[in-house]
Amino acid sequence: MTDYTALAQRYIDVWNTTDADKRRALVAELFTPEATYTDPLGAVRGTDGIDGFVAGAQAQFAGLEFRLDGTVDSHHDQARFTWHLGAPGDAEPLVIGFDVVTTVDGRINQVLGFLDKVPS
C-alpha cells in the first residue's frame, strides 16, 4: 500500500530541488516513464517533459518554495492535496494549488493540477 503523504512530500521535494541533476534523479524515481502533468499553464508527458516544466517554474519563481498544506486525501491509486508557493517560512503564500495524482506501483503516473490563488 502506498504512503500517499510521503509520496506527496516527495513530489513537493521535486519542485524544491534546484540542482538539475538531483531533480532529474528524483523525477525519474518518483514518476513513471510515461507520466503526464497537466495544469492551467501547460501539459507535458514523460520524465524529461516533467523535469523541464519544473525547471521552468523554478526559474519563474526563483527563491520561493513549495510546501504541503493540510492533509493528503487518498483512496485506491489516487490522492489529492493542497500546496502553497511562497517565501521560505510561514509567509503568506503567493500561489495556492490543488493537485490530484494517480499512481502505478507506487509511482506517479498522472498529475492534474489546479490553481486556486495566483498573483494578480
Side-chain angles (χ1 to χ4, degrees):
M1 188 166 138
T2 301
D3 178 347
Y4 284 100
T5 299
L7 183 97
Q9 185 57 60
R10 289 175 53 215
Y11 172 80
I12 295 298
D13 293 344
V14 164
W15 289 90
N16 287 329
T17 301
T18 56
D19 178 282
D21 292 334
K22 288 180 183 177
R23 185 186 60 245
R24 275 192 291 278
L26 289 173
V27 169
E29 179 183 306
L30 183 61
F31 291 87
T32 64
E34 68 280 357
T36 60
Y37 177 93
T38 307
D39 75 11
L41 304 176
V44 295
R45 176 179 294 278
T47 54
D48 287 342
I50 292 167
D51 180 61
F53 193 82
V54 171
Q58 289 175 347
Q60 183 178 1
F61 298 107
L64 302 180
E65 69 179 13
F66 288 86
R67 60 187 178 273
L68 282 176
D69 180 59
T71 59
V72 176
D73 185 25
S74 63
H75 62 84
H76 296 84
D77 292 325
Q78 57 193 355
R80 65 179 178 163
F81 51 88
T82 299
W83 52 264
H84 290 176
L85 174 66
D90 292 328
E92 179 70 23
L94 298 174
V95 180
I96 298 174
F98 175 91
D99 288 355
V100 175
V101 300
T102 61
T103 62
V104 173
D105 297 326
R107 294 170 71 194
I108 296 173
N109 191 56
Q110 180 183 43
V111 178
L112 300 172
F114 298 86
L115 299 175
D116 297 326
K117 175 187 173 186
V118 295
S120 51

